[in-house]
Amino acid sequence: MTSRKLSVDPAVFYTSAALMVAFVLAGTFATETLSSVASAIQSGIVSRFGWLYILVVGVFPALAIYLMLSRFGSVRLGKDSDRPEYGTIAWLSMLYGAGLGIGLVFYGVAEPLLHYATPPVAEPLSQAAAEDALLFTIYHWGFHPWAIYIVMGLALAYGAFRRDLPLTVSSTLYPLIGKRIYGPIGKAVDILAVFGTLFGLATSLGLGASQIASGLNAVAGIENTTPVQMLVIAVITGMATLSVVAGLDKGIRRLSLANSGLALALMAFVILVGPTLAVMDALPQNFGTYLQELVGTTFFSEAYNDGDWQASWTLFYWGWWVSWSPFAGMFIARISRGRTIREFVAGTMLVPTVITIIWFTGFGNAALEFQTNGTADMVAAVQENASTSLFVLLDQLPLTMLSSCLALVVITLFFVTSSDSASFVIDMITSGGDPNPPVVQRVFWAVSEGAVAAILLLVGGLSALQTASLTTGLPFTFVLVAIAIALLKTLHQNEAVPHRADIAQPAE
């Protein structure tokens, strides 16, 4: 493969690279100072801006559903004659791997158990706590993250494929600030998007490294230490680099399809070999409770019980999803050309949410069943080390070694697909919207992501990962609000009448 000449937006590329290098150096040579600063930042954000996260993120699902059901639903992301580049299965596999990735496997068992032990409202370890455990877990992983990605993804895809703007985050603000997207304001937004992607991805990579190290301990007896986690990050970053060099079709698409199949196989194994009846009994109730309590949980803010549960959970997730949105939104936009807004919203929010509910019911309710019937003290295991929870669950089932090896492969592939997808996206942003950026730049950003993840684990483990998400997510929350307003404005200005040309088109 011949390497293309560098294609960069100098202000965005070199500023982002310099700030990233400065962060890595600070983490390497001033670890304790960086850790103290991170802790102070997290405390300040939680105490002063938690309400902002709750309000802003709470509105996005309603906006997404409005766009799907309104007359804008028939608008095609591209020219009226464009059709999807990827089949539905490949499309869903790629967006699901990019949108949630490692976190889904890391928290599949851990989060329901931790909510059961320390619920936000109910009595700990009670039946009510078990019900709330699944409710709040699904709330964190259901409509809301996907709605955030939809706002970003639609704005990017509509601007790039229908209005011929560069495929970069600053272009989404064109309806509000016009050609100033090419000036300092636009550059600042793109740099912020790069850092949101870097730290959002680093959170996922840090969780993945911890869980892979725990899996290696369960399968091969290798002690889970920080050097082992660093080695895991290095190896997986190398694999991601090879994938991103292969490109979107040969690398990312094939890995996403393989990963989706293996993840579904692991979920089916746990449901069918584990406490099947308990899981199937819980499934319709979890669906119903989630839908019934959706509004209440969306705006729950611990206003009357002065607790700190939400700071460790909901606010962490909302910051993570917001900081992850430039990457997830741009990647989903890049693979969604030719789809209608209605297809985009349904495929990006409804289908993944259904799969997510089944996933957490399968793993979470299986773990709760083993806990409540006395088979294993799952709560103690997850409180000691959350990264071991999946392997502790698999240890209660037949074919433990086989299923644990399968779980390691799934985590590794999620790790690789998240890293290579994010490298691809960051390179598009820093190259001014080039949809096929040069290979050498993709390699640079893939290596950089691994370095940032390693530094965050060194300066404070999970706490540092949470702080990174909250810190980068806060300023980008204001950008997302502006993007949502800009999207509605451009749709109302440019799509005054329904696109009847789509009505007579045959189904895909």
Side-chain angles (χ1 to χ4, degrees):
M1 178 183 294
T2 57
S3 178
R4 288 173 52 203
K5 183 180 179 182
L6 289 180
S7 170
V8 299
D9 181 326
V12 177
F13 182 89
Y14 292 114
T15 302
S16 299
L19 291 173
M20 185 274 301
V21 170
F23 174 82
V24 171
L25 292 175
T28 303
F29 298 106
T31 304
E32 291 185 5
T33 301
L34 186 60
S35 180
S36 299
V37 171
S39 178
I41 290 173
Q42 181 176 4
S43 177
I45 291 174
V46 167
S47 62
R48 292 176 173 83
F49 296 101
W51 61 271
L52 178 67
Y53 275 119
I54 298 298
L55 286 177
V56 171
V57 175
V59 170
F60 283 168
L63 175 59
I65 292 172
Y66 162 73
L67 292 172
M68 180 178 68
L69 299 179
S70 72
R71 60 187 174 85
F72 302 124
S74 61
V75 173
R76 200 165 287 277
L77 299 174
K79 310 309 177 188
D80 288 340
S81 58
D82 285 347
R83 289 299 177 269
E85 182 179 359
Y86 299 98
T88 301
I89 300 299
W91 178 62
L92 290 172
S93 296
M94 285 191 285
L95 71 86
Y96 200 72
L100 294 179
I102 299 164
L104 199 69
V105 186
F106 186 92
Y107 285 108
V109 176
E111 185 169 350
L113 286 172
L114 290 171
H115 293 338
Y116 176 61
T118 55
V121 178
E123 185 71 22
L125 306 178
S126 65
Q127 179 180 335
E131 294 174 2
D132 280 357
L134 270 298
L135 168 63
F136 279 96
T137 299
I138 294 169
Y139 158 56
H140 290 147
W141 295 83
F143 288 141
H144 293 78
W146 295 105
I148 295 171
Y149 304 157
I150 283 168
V151 171
M152 175 63 74
L154 276 180
L156 285 163
Y158 183 85
F161 304 142
R162 197 162 184 89
R163 308 300 300 170
D164 297 319
L165 291 166
L167 186 58
T168 190
V169 176
S170 56
S171 295
T172 62
L173 298 177
Y174 187 87
L176 296 182
I177 63 175
K179 293 184 178 180
R180 281 179 289 178
I181 64 170
Y182 302 111
I185 296 176
K187 307 301 182 188
V189 168
D190 285 336
I191 292 169
L192 186 59
V194 169
F195 271 82
T197 300
L198 272 173
F199 284 105
L201 177 69
T203 301
S204 284
L205 299 189
L207 295 177
S210 299
Q211 195 168 35
I212 289 174
S214 294
L216 291 173
N217 178 257
V219 171
I222 299 173
E223 187 177 355
N224 183 356
T225 62
T226 299
V228 170
Q229 294 175 12
M230 298 298 105
L231 180 61
V232 167
I233 289 177
V235 172
I236 302 300
T237 298
M239 295 172 63
T241 301
L242 293 176
S243 174
V244 81
V245 167
L248 189 60
D249 290 327
K250 293 181 180 179
I252 298 172
R253 182 181 67 85
R254 291 177 180 175
L255 278 177
S256 297
L257 283 169
N259 199 27
S260 295
L262 293 174
L264 290 175
L266 180 63
M267 179 178 70
F269 172 81
V270 171
I271 294 174
L272 295 176
V273 178
T276 306
L277 185 58
V279 170
M280 297 312 295
D281 279 344
L283 186 58
Q285 184 167 332
N286 290 346
F287 264 104
T289 302
Y290 172 62
L291 294 176
Q292 182 181 1
E293 301 293 335
L294 186 58
V295 175
T297 51
T298 293
F299 297 104
F300 173 71
S301 60
E302 286 191 311
Y304 298 103
N305 61 350
D306 195 28
D308 59 1
W309 177 91
Q310 194 169 52
S312 299
W313 288 105
T314 306
L315 298 184
F316 158 57
Y317 279 128
W318 284 187
W320 189 6
W321 306 145
V322 169
S323 64
W324 193 245
S325 66
F327 152 56
M330 183 170 289
F331 184 76
I332 294 169
R334 172 65 178 81
I335 64 176
S336 299
R337 181 169 191 157
R339 296 192 180 273
T340 65
I341 288 179
R342 187 167 292 116
E343 287 177 315
F344 185 97
V345 175
T348 306
M349 188 167 76
L350 301 183
V351 175
T353 296
V354 170
I355 297 172
T356 296
I357 293 174
I358 298 172
W359 180 276
F360 280 106
T361 299
F363 288 91
N365 280 99
L368 287 172
E369 178 66 15
F370 289 139
Q371 173 71 34
T372 55
N373 68 15
T375 300
D377 193 349
M378 301 292 299
V379 169
V382 75
Q383 287 179 329
E384 181 179 353
N385 186 350
S387 67
T388 67
S389 57
L390 173 60
F391 300 98
V392 173
L393 172 67
L394 296 176
D395 196 41
Q396 314 309 314
L397 304 176
L399 303 174
T400 298
M401 183 60 68
L402 178 62
S403 61
S404 295
C405 290
L406 174 60
L408 272 175
V409 173
V410 169
I411 299 165
T412 300
L413 288 179
F414 267 131
F415 203 143
V416 173
T417 53
S418 294
S419 181
D420 59 13
S421 302
S423 302
F424 196 84
V425 164
I426 292 176
D427 207 4
M428 282 194 289
I429 297 173
T430 57
S431 62
D434 184 349
N436 294 291
V439 168
V440 64
Q441 293 169 216
R442 302 181 213 171
V443 172
F444 171 78
W445 289 114
V447 174
S448 300
E449 289 153 10
V452 171
I455 291 298
L456 288 174
L457 279 177
L458 286 173
V459 301
L462 181 58
S463 176
L465 298 175
Q466 291 175 331
T467 300
S469 294
L470 282 169
T471 304
T472 53
L474 179 62
F476 209 82
T477 300
F478 296 99
V479 176
L480 271 177
V481 172
I483 289 172
I485 295 170
L487 175 62
L488 289 172
K489 179 180 179 181
T490 192
L491 286 172
H492 281 280
Q493 286 181 339
N494 298 302
E495 310 295 340
V497 295
H499 279 251
R500 299 185 181 280
D502 291 331
I503 296 175
Q505 296 292 340
E508 181 190 348

